[in-house]
């Protein structure tokens, strides 16, 4: 069978194909969450392009050998966005896409939050917020400053609400101190968290300046543009004297009109009827 | 069973050394034996004795600053990259402040992060209650995938550190600040998961861990003078517990006193009660801190105050055995 028949995709640099993968990942997310009856919708939908860019273009990885010693590392710090990671892993070929339907069920390898060891391709258990960046930094420090490996890179995705956590700023100081030029971290800047707008819960004012003050190289991009994310990652790889932070501006619930921009969809799944509506919208055309 | 070699001067004029000093030597030896061993510290490099490793292997030493959450999570990332990271701070802060990070990124991930909690117990002395970590054994014991090791003296700390590095897995290693008597010898054994009978007895088992094992030996000696035959069981690994050795002792004596420089709730005493309740219901009396915090004072003054010296332990054991006249003679 061809990869396409299996529903998997290989690395590509073709924008149309990447957008198609992102759309398929969104459909997976909607179906998974509706079947599970619980879970987070807004964040995963908003991250579809970012994870597509990572797993289908940026990362050096091998789905047939998840622990390939030459791979790049990806840490999903915001573990509650697990559905987008699971869909990306399945579509990259780490495990059968049919298994996506088992999300959050008893005995499933797709735990409510990602668990290392449960499913191929999960680098680290996450969910409790704030600890992914420091693990990524620890890995990057070993590569850059101890083992002197230059051709492997470490990536992390944080939520914007997540950076309320003190652990993030401890890690930010650490990565700046050790000049982790091989570390490229993304903030999913979708402006929502559970209790409402990020700026109401705990303002992230001057976000770029905050990270620059910690000696990071900072970029801001449209996080819902696969190409923009890829370009940012490549620029980050070229900057070797500092870790790169990409503020990826995304729309929460992207692609599902009744979810977009609404913080109430942070931690809710669609009902079966809402899922039908969402899938129709996603299939109605490319997201703008 | 081969007898556990004990320092012949333990009851007269034992040498003393800080348990943390043994850790410093053990870490250096572990680093020399295996280049995967790395060390991380949170601005306490000399007082945790990591400076010895740092000066020998500067490129394998990481200073994270006063940031205990980062300390263990950076270590988890380094462990994922193939290293065996020892992380050190005061126990009051690590695992006192970063328990969830240890759970999620080290224990759940099964990454071989070693959490070294220095300055544990009332032995920390004048710094007072905030710095006298007493809840750590309970906190770490309850965590799946986590080993809990509490060396009894500096020589054992040195052996334990090397044993952990040779068998890397998530581990909590508890250290003490002040000098304490050395009861073991250069050739005394240490294996992770093993408990040791230091003195055989018939009437009661004194089950101790960490700095309290020395005091248990003193107590047993004093009890001999009262006609009480006390067995001393040294438990340097609180988890996984050496059930066979402990149960065999309980079966011999029929009752036990547990002794630890920690809260009696959930620590070694808790572990022994859980074991006994299921396997060999025996009367267990727990000595340690009784659901209260410590306070400032010299370590010896605090041991007296909390009745954790050999003499006071012997008194309490005698009372526990119901030999009132013996207590009066002490």
């Amino acid at each position: 069978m061809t990869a396409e028949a299996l529903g998997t995709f290989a690395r590509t640099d073709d924008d149309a194909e990447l957008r198609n993968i992102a759309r398929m990942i969104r459909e997976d997310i909607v179906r998974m969450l509706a079947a599970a009856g619980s879970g987070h919708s807004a964040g995963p939908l908003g991250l579809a392009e970012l994870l597509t860019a990572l797993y289908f273009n940026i990362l050096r990885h091998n789905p047939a050998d998840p622990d390939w010693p030459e791979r790049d590392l990806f840490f999903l710090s915001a573990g509650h966005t697990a559905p987008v990671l699971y869909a990306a892993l399945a579509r990259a070929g780490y495990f059968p896409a049919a298994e996506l339907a088992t999300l959050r069920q008893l005995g499933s390898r797709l735990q409510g939050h990602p668990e290392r060891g449960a499913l191929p391709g999960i680098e680290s258990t996450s969910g409790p917020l704030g600890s992914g960046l420091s693990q990524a930094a620890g890995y990057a420090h070993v590569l850059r400053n101890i083992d002197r490996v230059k051709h492997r890179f470490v990536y992390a995705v944080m939520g914007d609400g997540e950076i309320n956590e003190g652990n993030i700023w401890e890690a930010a100081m650490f990565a700046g101190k050790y000049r982790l030029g091989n570390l490229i971290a993304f903030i999913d800047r979708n402006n929502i968290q559970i209790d409402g707008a990020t700026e109401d819960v705990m303002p992230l004012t001057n976000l770029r300046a905050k990270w620059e003050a910690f000696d990071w190289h900072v970029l801001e991009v449209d996080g819902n543009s696969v190409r923009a994310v890829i370009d940012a990652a490549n620029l980050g790889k070229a900057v070797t004297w500092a870790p790169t932070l990409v503020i990826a501006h995304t729309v929460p619930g992207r692609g599902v009109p009744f979810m977009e921009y609404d913080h109430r969809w942070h931690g809710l799944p669609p009902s079966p009827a809402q899922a039908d509506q969402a899938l129709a919208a996603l299939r109605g055309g490319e997201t703008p | 069973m081969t007898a556990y070699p004990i320092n012949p001067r333990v009851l007269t004029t034992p040498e003393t050394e800080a348990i943390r000093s043994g850790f410093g030597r053990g870490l250096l030896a572990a680093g020399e034996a295996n280049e995967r061993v790395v060390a991380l510290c949170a601005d306490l490099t000399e007082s945790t004795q990591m400076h010895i490793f740092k000066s020998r292997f500067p490129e394998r030493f990481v200073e994270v600053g006063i940031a205990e959450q980062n300390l263990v999570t950076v270590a988890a990332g380094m462990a994922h990259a193939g290293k065996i990271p020892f992380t050190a701070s005061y126990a009051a802060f690590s695992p006192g402040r970063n328990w969830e990070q240890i759970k999620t990124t080290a224990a759940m991930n099964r990454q071989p992060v070693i959490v070294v909690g220095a300055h544990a117990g009332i032995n920390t002395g004048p710094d007072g209650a905030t710095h006298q970590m007493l809840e750590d054994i309970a906190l770490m014991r309850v965590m799946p995938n986590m080993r809990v090791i509490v060396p009894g003296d500096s020589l054992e700390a040195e052996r334990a550190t090397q044993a952990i590095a040779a068998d890397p897995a998530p581990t909590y290693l508890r250290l003490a600040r002040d000098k304490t008597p050395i009861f073991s010898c250069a050739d005394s054994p240490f294996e992770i998961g093993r408990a040791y009978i230091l003195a055989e007895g018939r009437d009661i088992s004194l089950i101790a861990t960490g700095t309290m094992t020395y005091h248990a030996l003193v107590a047993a000696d004093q009890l001999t003078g009262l006609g009480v035959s006390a067995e001393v069981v040294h438990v340097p690994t609180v988890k996984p517990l050496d059930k066979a050795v402990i149960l065999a002792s309980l079966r011999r004596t029929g009752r036990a006193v547990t002794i630890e420089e920690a809260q009696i709730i959930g620590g070694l005493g808790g572990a022994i009660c859980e074991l006994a309740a299921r396997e060999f219901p025996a009367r267990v009396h727990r000595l340690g801190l009784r659901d209260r915090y410590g306070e400032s004072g010299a370590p010896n003054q605090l041991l007296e105050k909390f009745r954790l010296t050999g003499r006071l332990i012997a008194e309490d054991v005698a009372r526990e055995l119901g030999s009132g006249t013996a207590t009066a003679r002490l």
Side-chain angles (χ1 to χ4, degrees):
Chain A
M1 267 198 294
T2 63
E4 201 167 343
L6 289 167
T8 61
F9 300 88
R11 184 183 185 283
T12 175
D13 207 32
D14 180 84
D15 282 10
E17 194 175 345
L18 287 163
R19 283 200 297 273
N20 183 48
I21 296 170
R23 182 187 53 78
M24 183 160 289
I25 284 175
R26 282 203 170 86
E27 288 186 28
D28 286 337
I29 292 167
V30 167
R31 282 191 296 263
M32 292 162 79
L33 288 166
S38 72
H40 299 76
S41 296
L45 287 167
L47 281 170
E49 281 81 11
L50 213 161
L51 273 278
T52 296
L54 282 165
Y55 277 92
F56 299 92
N57 187 280
I58 299 167
L59 288 172
R60 271 163 56 90
H61 67 126
N62 182 0
D65 181 9
D67 296 324
W68 181 41
E70 291 296 307
R71 73 192 185 282
D72 289 336
L73 272 284
F74 172 61
F75 290 87
L76 182 65
S77 195
H80 61 281
T81 61
V84 69
L85 175 63
Y86 293 155
L89 288 172
R91 294 298 170 189
Y94 280 87
F95 61 90
E99 211 172 324
L100 291 172
T102 68
L103 173 71
R104 288 176 169 251
Q105 290 175 18
L106 186 66
S108 172
R109 299 198 289 176
L110 283 68
Q111 292 290 296
H113 292 80
E115 237 181 87
R116 174 178 146 79
L119 190 66
I122 307 289
E123 298 287 359
S124 179
T125 299
S126 62
L129 294 172
S131 301
L133 183 63
S134 41
Q135 292 172 79
Y139 203 110
H141 179 63
V142 168
L143 289 180
R144 183 181 192 274
N145 299 322
I146 299 179
D147 291 350
R148 312 275 176 198
V149 174
K150 294 186 190 304
H151 63 280
R152 297 175 63 202
F153 292 83
V154 183
Y155 301 86
V157 167
M158 300 170 266
D160 51 1
E162 177 178 13
I163 69 172
N164 296 171
E165 289 278 5
N167 195 170
I168 292 292
W169 300 100
E170 295 180 357
M173 276 190 279
F174 175 87
K177 173 190 173 186
Y178 284 102
R179 298 187 169 277
L180 302 179
N182 55 349
L183 173 63
I184 297 161
F186 296 86
I187 291 178
D188 176 22
R189 186 66 171 119
N190 67 10
N191 306 301
I192 63 159
Q193 58 195 103
I194 294 178
D195 276 357
T198 53
E199 302 318 286
D200 292 334
V201 176
M202 187 52 66
L204 303 176
T205 327
N206 298 324
L207 188 54
R208 167 190 280 270
K210 282 186 168 84
W211 287 82
E212 284 174 344
F214 283 70
D215 296 323
W216 284 62
H217 163 239
V218 182
L219 299 170
E220 286 192 65
V221 301
D222 174 358
N224 290 125
S225 161
V226 185
R227 182 51 51 190
V229 172
I230 292 171
D231 288 347
N234 286 331
L235 180 50
K237 286 168 73 172
V239 173
T240 55
W241 43 265
T244 290
L245 178 80
V246 181
I247 301 172
H249 294 274
T250 67
V251 174
R254 178 73 165 191
V256 178
F258 61 88
M259 291 185 183
E260 287 185 353
Y261 298 104
D262 186 345
H263 77 86
R264 290 172 300 179
W265 285 100
H266 168 92
L268 285 181
S271 68
Q274 287 168 326
D276 288 342
Q277 207 182 331
L279 290 170
L282 288 170
R283 286 169 189 154
E286 264 180 39
T287 48
Chain B
M1 191 171 63
T2 332
Y4 182 99
I6 290 189
N7 179 355
R9 293 165 57 191
V10 67
L11 295 174
T12 53
T13 51
E15 301 84 354
T16 63
E17 188 186 33
I19 285 175
R20 57 187 167 134
S21 299
F23 163 71
R25 283 195 303 274
L27 184 62
L28 177 66
E32 282 168 345
N34 187 345
E35 65 174 19
R36 289 170 59 209
V37 172
V38 296
L40 300 88
C41 199
D43 198 32
L44 294 166
T45 307
E46 192 160 331
S47 60
T48 60
Q49 298 290 297
M50 264 193 172
H51 64 296
I52 304 169
F53 181 96
K54 179 190 175 184
S55 59
R56 175 76 177 80
F57 302 112
E59 76 288 357
R60 283 153 60 187
F61 174 78
V62 176
E63 173 63 82
V64 302
I66 309 166
E68 295 79 17
Q69 299 173 71
N70 207 45
L71 175 73
V72 295
T73 48
V74 165
M78 295 180 76
H80 192 34
K83 303 304 177 190
I84 303 168
F86 282 75
T87 68
S89 180
Y90 291 166
F93 317 138
S94 179
R97 179 165 285 187
N98 53 11
W99 186 87
E100 181 280 319
Q101 280 89 356
I102 296 169
K103 171 190 163 190
T104 306
T105 71
M108 291 188 78
N109 270 337
R110 294 181 186 274
Q111 294 293 3
V113 174
I114 296 98
V115 178
V116 181
H119 289 43
I122 52 174
N123 170 299
T124 303
D127 278 345
T130 55
H131 285 51
Q132 295 164 353
M133 186 51 159
L134 299 165
E135 297 78 28
D136 51 339
I137 298 177
L139 278 175
M140 298 308 277
R141 194 170 76 78
V142 76
M143 190 182 284
N145 301 345
M146 181 60 63
R147 307 185 295 198
V148 178
I149 296 174
V150 189
D153 65 22
S154 60
L155 296 184
E156 188 169 66
E158 188 175 348
R159 290 190 287 272
T161 303
Q162 295 174 81
I164 293 164
D167 179 18
T171 306
Y172 177 54
L173 176 64
R174 184 188 215 232
L175 305 178
R177 173 184 183 277
D178 206 33
K179 289 181 176 178
T180 53
I182 296 174
F183 62 82
S184 73
C185 302
D187 60 343
S188 297
F190 175 85
E191 266 181 59
I192 295 168
R194 288 286 308 278
Y196 301 97
I197 306 294
L198 269 47
E200 294 184 359
R202 297 178 310 275
D203 299 332
I204 192 161
S205 302
L206 308 185
I207 305 176
T209 191
T211 57
M212 287 296 108
T213 294
Y214 163 76
H215 294 281
L217 286 165
V218 173
D221 181 60
Q222 300 219 349
L223 287 162
T224 304
L226 303 174
V228 174
S229 168
E231 180 149 294
V232 177
V233 187
H234 174 46
V235 186
T237 305
V238 177
K239 185 186 177 188
L241 202 61
D242 189 340
K243 295 177 183 173
V245 163
I246 292 163
L247 283 171
S249 180
L250 283 180
R251 289 197 172 97
R252 274 192 294 278
T253 62
R255 62 199 304 176
V257 170
T258 62
I259 317 163
E260 62 198 305
E261 217 187 296
Q263 301 292 354
I264 60 170
I265 299 173
L268 173 71
I272 299 300
C273 287
E274 289 163 18
L275 177 68
R278 177 70 181 87
E279 302 285 344
F280 186 78
R283 191 180 163 94
V284 178
H285 183 54
R286 293 167 296 154
L287 300 182
L289 273 284
R290 297 165 175 275
D291 200 16
R292 60 152 292 174
Y293 297 109
E295 62 184 80
S296 287
N300 286 339
Q301 292 175 313
L302 294 169
L303 289 178
E304 293 275 336
K305 169 156 185 150
F306 295 109
R307 301 186 63 79
L308 293 172
T309 65
R311 182 177 61 83
L312 295 170
I313 290 166
E315 274 184 24
D316 287 355
V317 170
R319 186 177 298 118
E320 171 67 9
L321 284 168
S323 78
T325 51
T327 307
R329 292 216 312 268
L330 279 165

